[in-house]
Amino acid sequence: MIGKLKRFGWLMLASMLALIAIGTIAIRSAGLARTETVFHGMWVNNVATAAIGLGFYLMLAFADYRKYLGLLSIPSYALAVLCLVAVLLFGDTVYGGKRWLWFFQPSEISKLCIIVLLASLYGNSAGRSWRFGFRGFLLAGMLVGLPLLLILAEPDLGTALTLVPAVTLMLLVAGIWRKGLVTIITLAGLMGLMVLGAVYEAERPGVSAERRERILKYVPLKAHQVRRVRVFLFPEEDQQGAGYNLRQAKISIGSGGFSGKGLGKAETNHLKYLPQAISMNDFIFCVWAEETGFVGSVALLTLFGLLLFACCHAAFVTDDMQGRLLAFGVSTLVFAHVYINIAMSIGIVPITGLPLPFISSGRTFLITTMCGLGIVQSVTIHREKEIQ
Amino acid sequence: MSAGDSLLGGLSCWLVPIVFGMGLLHLGVRLREVQVEDSAAYSYASARQSVRRVRLAGLRGRILDRNNRVLADNRMSVSIVCHPVYFQRRTWKETTEGISAAINGCAAVVGKPSPLTAHRIRRHVDQALALPLFVWNDIGPDELARFVEHERDLPGFGLVEVGERVYPCAAAASHLLGYVGREHIASDAGDERFHYSFPELCGRAGVEAYYDSYLRGVPGEKKVLVDARGFAMREWTVIEPQRGPDLKLTIDLFIQRLAERELMGVQGACVVLNPQNGEVLALASAPGFDPNAFVPVLSQKLYDSYAKDPSKPLLNRASGGTYAPGSIFKPVTALAGLAAGYPAGERYCCDGLFEIGDMVLHCSSRWGHGELDMRHALMKSCNPFFCNLAADIGTNALLRAARAFGLGSKTGLDLGTDNAGVVPDADWKQKKYREKWYVADQIQMSIGQGMLLVSPLQMALVAGAIGTGQLVIPHLNSVVESPSRPLPFTESQLSVVRDGMRMVVAGDGAGRGTGWRGGDRVRVAVSGKTGTAEVGSGKTRRKNTWFIAYAPSERPTVAIAMVVENGESGGGTTAPKVRNILAGIFGETEVAR
């Protein structure tokens, strides 16, 4: 046990706890601004959830991942897929999407399950050289594709968007059908640009309705997604309608200034200009940034940087491919969330419903992320080849 | 795995932290743009959407008489207001209904039915959500007591103090002071400066209107922080409103009251002024009104009753009403004659009437005054004498004299109601009646009849000008110093008319003048002239009776003109009233002088 504590990644734990503390403060601010009193004590719930999450974290950290990974990966994956099917059949519809099953969001859990499954499959491929070829890629494609399609059907584009880079990176690191993969990434990038270009062409001022209709027919996006891309491309238009959220997010962050307005004094939030329904979740960064300013934003980014550094460190020091894939997969997932969430609040990327890890209020996501980091902590602790 | 693959694998491993680092750096750089470089613009946008600027009215300045007695003051009235933020519900309809229900609840407590319609409440929610809704304005002490007692049970309701105008002397000097109304005042800086303003007090008549911009306070500014729906969350005063400066008038409340007492029960007007410097000491018009009735708002019913009243209580007769002067015009005719070379000692034989063409004018003395000179003609107000004089000197000499006294043009009084009256000439008659100017018109004018119209203020100035030899511009603002101009007559010409006017009051030793009552037992020597102007014909025929005077005769400090509608005669009806005013000013003696 003492050996484990010696190898324990303190930085990883400390930065995570610091982020959770920031999240609790931000949730308190966002909650107090709401009319409904039920949200005023939301930060207490967050502390409780974090405590539960910490329990899972320590459990997964001190247990040897190499032992439970093979045991858990396939059943957890199967369970996740079942839940994803169930949510489509029985889920509650909230804000235009079926994401809730009973008390949790299966899509959040499924992301971790997919990463764990891929890590356990491709991290331990001795004697199965076919996995490094096209067939291996095909297998991964099917394993990821099934839950991904289910998630997209909810629809939850944001979750899907964070999963793809995590999986792609894992496959790259694992060396699965590398040349083909690089080609596909390039093509996907090009297609993304084309979609953006097509929406621009269709939505730019002065385009006739028929032409717009004709172009958008070929764009594989739903109407509300097209609207978000439009807001991203033309943020000055329609500031009261579809562009309202982005504008308020930017006003909130921008008016925070260099040193912020002070904790609990985020006016945009308190006066409810910031959309209340998502101020605690997808727009939580705005609350933090308004109250603490650029200083607070940088502090937040630094903490995320330290956390990601610790994860990467774990990936580099371990000799075990499974561990490395896990560390990279989980950290990429966290990074994708952080980047997309903050970037969308300042208009760098189109608005996508996506929480900010450890900061946003959300039980399923917090516990899942802490579990993921717990496994990475386990990789750090159990980095010797043999367990003694 | 080949060597190349493992190199690529190593590369992709290194790629991960590099991508992470660059991503976070990118966010940091962009956040710096938003939070540091563009921060001011976003702060402005934030303030723009959430801060409402409200104009606060400053109190009006007071109006004082020359001895600092308060004629117009401010009082704080209490209003019960409703703060919409306490009643916010999910929908606007529910919010409006909530406010409506709460007001009805409050009405039961206060004991006064709600004066607001559902439509009015809805409009407030639509347009002025950030402001309190004024429910009951200017409530009385009973209602206030009931409200304060139950204030704890009435969340969302509060009291607001509003400055209202009050006239402590009630109807005294009502025409002179005028009254106030409420209206939205456009701010000088344009619409950008304020989102909301309340209707503010503004002068509608009299001094209140003429000196409106002087009396008006300097507006202040309040900022209200509103939430995304527009409800007021917090408010603070940025600029305190300031009270306007006090306006000190030349009016002497004591003399004003004397004049108003004399006019009680009649229709008419009286002007008292200082002919040396143009200070108006009293400007009275009867019947009057109580300007307090116009506060906080003039009811339509009351306004209609004023508008339909045949005695026209809102008309300021003293400076805005015009009358035929009658015989009080004779001193002007006399001066016109002297200026035209008519010898002062020339005697004329009055046989009781004056004929020209088919027109016959009777004298006040049925059988004629016999032979008399100009002084006695003034003293006895002999019509034929002046008709004859006018026939001799012609129209132009008359017009020149009348205009030299400022008749036919505005006096320059600092008040909106400053009627020029009419000094008719050939052009004017041609335009107005499409008729030629006859000699009869000129004869009529010489005795103040016909188309000639003057205001009491003008005639007070004429009386004073004869006494001092200077025509002044009258003023009400004590700070103003008004210029005067000398009359175009010589001292010897003026002294003839002054003698005549002194004899009107004091007699010639042998007999009384027509206006002997005007200076009866007044401590100083009074000079004056009576006038009885006949207006209308047939059944509407009536007499407006005049008396003009100045005193003391040697060096006048008071000039006065009074007209009483439907009187008996100038000497009988009006002169005693003027006498009472003069006695009030100068004191009286026990025995007749």
Side-chain angles (χ1 to χ4, degrees):
Chain A
M1 190 64 196
I2 292 177
K4 286 188 179 182
L5 276 178
K6 257 186 194 161
R7 294 186 297 271
F8 192 84
W10 293 105
L11 179 65
M12 202 189 290
L13 180 68
S15 53
M16 182 185 82
L17 290 177
L19 285 166
I20 291 172
I22 286 178
T24 308
I25 294 169
I27 288 168
R28 187 168 178 276
S29 286
L32 287 177
R34 302 215 26 185
T35 324
E36 305 93 323
T37 43
V38 68
F39 291 106
H40 292 183
M42 208 62 176
W43 63 279
V44 182
N45 287 17
N46 196 63
V47 173
T49 310
I52 297 168
L54 197 64
F56 280 110
Y57 179 90
L58 294 175
M59 240 161 63
L60 291 168
F62 286 104
D64 189 346
Y65 71 98
R66 279 166 295 192
K67 282 183 181 160
Y68 60 71
L69 208 61
L71 217 69
L72 283 177
S73 60
I74 292 171
S76 69
Y77 175 82
L79 202 65
V81 171
L82 270 176
C83 287
L84 283 173
V85 175
V87 80
L88 284 179
L89 296 177
F90 315 112
D92 300 324
T93 305
V94 179
Y95 299 121
K98 275 193 177 177
R99 287 170 208 170
W100 287 88
L101 186 66
W102 196 20
F103 61 91
F104 68 105
Q105 289 177 289
S107 59
E108 302 292 2
I109 298 180
S110 65
K111 283 186 281 191
L112 186 61
C113 295
I114 291 166
I115 287 169
V116 166
L117 179 69
L118 287 185
S120 83
L121 279 183
Y122 292 94
N124 191 8
S125 300
R128 300 191 186 87
S129 63
W130 60 269
R131 286 189 184 165
F132 297 100
F134 176 67
R135 281 186 294 166
F137 174 76
L138 210 62
L139 176 68
M142 287 193 313
L143 288 175
V144 176
L146 176 63
L148 194 64
L149 284 175
L150 291 169
I151 290 171
L152 281 172
E154 286 185 9
D156 188 351
L157 184 66
T159 299
L161 274 181
T162 51
L163 187 55
V164 170
V167 167
T168 312
L169 198 97
M170 287 175 81
L171 293 182
L172 262 183
V173 170
I176 313 297
W177 195 48
R178 222 166 238 156
K179 292 182 186 82
L181 199 60
V182 169
T183 317
I184 288 173
I185 292 168
T186 316
L187 284 177
L190 282 175
M191 205 180 128
L193 282 175
M194 275 168 68
V195 168
L196 215 60
V199 174
Y200 179 84
E201 190 57 31
E203 298 285 358
R204 77 191 157 87
V207 174
S208 70
E210 303 91 69
R211 185 172 157 76
R212 178 177 178 274
E213 204 65 33
R214 217 162 47 237
I215 296 172
L216 288 185
K217 211 161 61 188
Y218 297 102
V219 174
L221 293 177
K222 294 219 165 63
H224 77 273
Q225 290 163 342
V226 171
R227 205 154 53 232
R228 285 173 180 180
V229 175
R230 187 177 66 211
V231 169
F232 164 69
L233 290 170
F234 309 104
E236 300 309 314
E237 289 174 22
D238 198 16
Q239 289 181 353
Q240 287 305 313
Y244 179 84
N245 287 5
L246 174 60
R247 171 145 185 85
Q248 291 306 334
K250 283 174 93 172
I251 287 178
S252 185
I253 296 168
S255 65
F258 185 77
S259 51
K261 296 177 181 172
L263 291 179
K265 290 178 185 150
E267 267 181 5
T268 319
N269 167 39
H270 278 282
L271 297 173
K272 305 184 178 65
Y273 289 95
L274 199 65
Q276 290 296 288
I278 48 177
S279 66
M280 222 183 257
N281 305 311
D282 301 353
F283 275 178
I284 192 84
F285 177 73
C286 304
V287 177
W288 176 252
E290 187 175 3
E291 292 188 346
T292 60
F294 183 59
V295 175
S297 308
V298 170
L300 188 70
L301 290 180
T302 309
L303 283 175
F304 275 120
L306 289 175
L307 181 69
L308 293 171
F309 169 78
C311 291
C312 289
H313 182 257
F316 277 98
V317 294
T318 184
D319 285 338
D320 181 34
M321 187 48 110
Q322 272 187 6
R324 182 172 299 163
L325 289 180
L326 274 173
F328 277 146
V330 170
S331 57
T332 309
L333 194 67
V334 170
F335 170 76
H337 271 95
V338 171
Y339 184 82
I340 296 176
N341 179 282
I342 296 179
M344 80 175 183
S345 0
I346 52 176
I348 306 176
V349 301
I351 288 191
T352 337
L354 202 65
L356 186 59
F358 308 114
I359 313 294
S360 290
S361 158
R363 268 184 307 222
T364 319
F365 185 54
L366 182 57
I367 292 177
T368 311
T369 320
M370 287 178 86
C371 287
L373 284 180
I375 298 172
V376 179
Q377 184 66 269
S378 178
V379 173
T380 316
I381 294 173
H382 305 96
R383 57 185 179 238
E384 277 94 345
K385 272 181 184 165
E386 295 301 323
I387 305 160
Q388 282 155 15
Chain B
M1 282 211 291
S2 67
D5 270 0
S6 102
L7 184 70
L8 205 59
L11 264 182
S12 31
C13 286
W14 279 108
L15 202 66
V16 182
I18 291 170
V19 168
F20 289 177
M22 279 170 60
L24 294 178
L25 201 64
H26 181 216
L27 290 179
V29 168
R30 294 301 292 264
L31 278 168
R32 204 187 137 267
E33 280 172 25
V34 175
Q35 292 195 286
V36 180
E37 281 170 29
D38 299 340
S39 172
Y42 287 112
S43 294
Y44 176 73
S46 168
R48 208 183 136 87
Q49 71 182 5
S50 58
V51 177
R52 301 284 179 272
R53 294 176 301 278
V54 184
R55 181 181 159 115
L56 297 175
L59 287 177
R60 282 174 87 77
R62 298 176 304 168
I63 302 176
L64 312 171
D65 90 334
R66 64 186 304 121
N67 298 315
N68 293 324
R69 275 172 292 206
V70 181
L71 300 176
D73 204 348
N74 300 301
R75 68 178 164 91
M76 297 316 282
S77 81
V78 179
S79 299
I80 298 180
V81 298
C82 169
H83 300 287
V85 65
Y86 286 84
F87 307 100
Q88 55 173 320
R89 302 283 182 277
R90 185 171 286 277
T91 66
W92 294 118
K93 191 163 174 287
E94 284 167 13
T95 304
T96 310
E97 285 165 359
I99 293 173
S100 206
I103 289 176
N104 288 335
C106 188
V109 171
V110 176
K112 221 178 168 182
S114 163
L116 302 179
T117 60
H119 173 74
R120 175 76 187 75
I121 297 170
R122 204 176 323 121
R123 214 179 61 197
H124 185 87
V125 170
D126 285 351
Q127 296 173 359
L129 198 59
L131 303 182
L133 170 63
F134 281 76
V135 187
W136 291 280
N137 291 322
D138 201 3
I139 55 167
D142 293 350
E143 285 134 8
L144 180 62
R146 279 195 292 272
F147 177 80
V148 171
E149 193 183 335
H150 295 96
E151 204 173 356
R152 280 161 179 276
D153 314 327
L154 296 166
F157 286 89
L159 299 172
V160 168
E161 279 195 331
V162 178
E164 289 288 5
R165 207 57 160 161
V166 66
Y167 302 93
C169 306
S174 53
H175 297 96
L176 168 73
L177 295 173
Y179 48 88
V180 290
R182 282 194 180 272
E183 66 183 45
H184 282 278
I185 293 169
S187 91
D188 299 337
D191 294 343
E192 257 302 292
R193 180 132 182 246
F194 297 109
H195 292 95
Y196 299 110
S197 61
F198 295 100
E200 292 174 25
L201 288 177
C202 61
R204 290 268 165 81
V207 167
E208 292 274 28
Y210 193 88
Y211 285 107
D212 190 41
S213 55
Y214 175 84
L215 289 167
R216 190 178 291 164
V218 182
E221 183 179 333
K222 186 172 79 173
K223 284 188 173 171
V224 181
L225 196 67
V226 299
D227 70 0
R229 295 177 83 196
F231 288 106
M233 291 288 129
R234 189 157 61 85
E235 57 177 56
W236 65 101
T237 304
V238 189
I239 305 168
E240 286 286 349
Q242 287 168 22
R243 203 182 75 172
D246 287 348
L247 177 67
K248 189 169 170 177
L249 298 181
T250 59
I251 292 293
D252 188 326
L253 185 62
F254 171 70
I255 302 175
Q256 178 75 27
R257 284 201 158 130
L258 279 178
E260 284 174 3
R261 199 181 65 200
E262 293 308 317
L263 288 171
M264 206 169 280
V266 301
Q267 290 176 31
C270 180
V271 177
V272 185
L273 52 83
N274 182 342
Q276 304 286 350
N277 56 16
E279 288 178 357
V280 178
L281 302 171
L283 196 80
S285 175
F289 59 91
D290 183 357
N292 289 311
F294 290 67
V295 178
V297 280
L298 174 65
S299 70
Q300 190 64 40
K301 212 173 116 190
L302 186 62
Y303 183 80
D304 287 347
S305 80
Y306 280 143
K308 281 177 191 150
D309 191 333
S311 68
K312 296 187 182 164
L314 292 181
L315 172 67
N316 181 3
R317 292 170 157 84
S319 63
T322 56
Y323 302 86
S327 300
I328 56 167
F329 189 71
K330 283 173 184 163
V332 179
T333 309
L335 278 166
L338 293 169
Y342 190 90
E346 180 93 4
R347 297 174 80 80
Y348 171 81
C349 185
C350 165
D351 54 5
L353 47 82
F354 183 83
E355 290 172 272
I356 183 162
D358 51 359
M359 186 181 76
V360 179
L361 279 165
H362 290 273
C363 191
S364 53
S365 170
R366 194 171 215 188
W367 309 112
H369 291 112
E371 275 207 351
L372 78 181
D373 67 356
M374 187 179 277
R375 292 180 177 83
H376 283 85
L378 283 168
M379 174 182 134
K380 295 188 169 164
S381 201
C382 175
N383 280 345
F385 179 92
F386 288 100
C387 296
N388 181 55
L389 176 67
D392 274 10
I393 60 172
T395 308
N396 284 340
L398 269 180
L399 290 177
R400 263 201 305 279
R403 284 172 186 154
F405 280 103
L407 301 180
S409 51
K410 288 179 182 291
T411 62
L413 178 71
D414 44 355
L415 198 64
T417 47
D418 182 12
N419 203 321
V422 176
V423 174
D425 58 13
D427 286 349
W428 182 87
K429 194 183 176 193
Q430 184 64 38
K431 260 185 208 151
K432 178 110 183 173
Y433 297 108
R434 309 227 158 268
E435 266 183 45
K436 274 170 66 181
W437 183 261
Y438 298 110
V439 182
D441 295 319
Q442 157 191 341
I443 304 301
Q444 290 264 28
M445 186 157 76
S446 72
I447 56 167
Q449 296 280 357
M451 296 166 285
L452 189 64
L453 287 174
V454 298
S455 72
L457 173 65
Q458 283 176 325
M459 289 320 291
L461 290 168
V462 167
I466 293 169
T468 61
Q470 303 271 330
L471 182 71
V472 291
I473 295 175
H475 60 91
L476 287 163
N477 184 349
S478 61
V479 178
V480 171
E481 276 198 22
S482 50
S484 60
R485 60 184 155 91
L487 294 173
F489 307 109
T490 64
E491 268 305 303
S492 61
Q493 288 164 357
L494 283 167
S495 70
V496 173
V497 177
R498 284 174 192 157
D499 288 350
M501 285 176 73
R502 175 71 188 128
M503 282 153 67
V504 168
V505 177
D508 62 352
R512 282 172 163 169
T514 54
W516 68 272
R517 291 184 185 88
D520 188 28
R521 284 178 291 116
V522 176
R523 199 175 281 281
V524 298
V526 177
S527 305
K529 182 74 194 80
T530 57
T532 307
E534 297 190 349
V535 288
S537 56
K539 277 188 180 170
T540 63
R541 184 186 172 91
R542 62 193 189 279
K543 287 185 278 192
N544 290 335
T545 57
W546 283 93
F547 192 70
I548 60 173
Y550 60 86
S553 298
E554 311 79 45
R555 193 181 177 280
T557 52
V558 166
I560 185 165
M562 181 187 272
V563 64
V564 174
E565 296 173 21
N566 304 316
E568 282 299 316
S569 69
T573 311
T574 316
K577 294 180 183 294
V578 170
R579 180 258 160 213
N580 289 342
I581 296 169
L582 290 172
I585 297 171
F586 294 109
E588 49 189 351
T589 55
E590 290 302 313
V591 280
R593 279 163 48 126

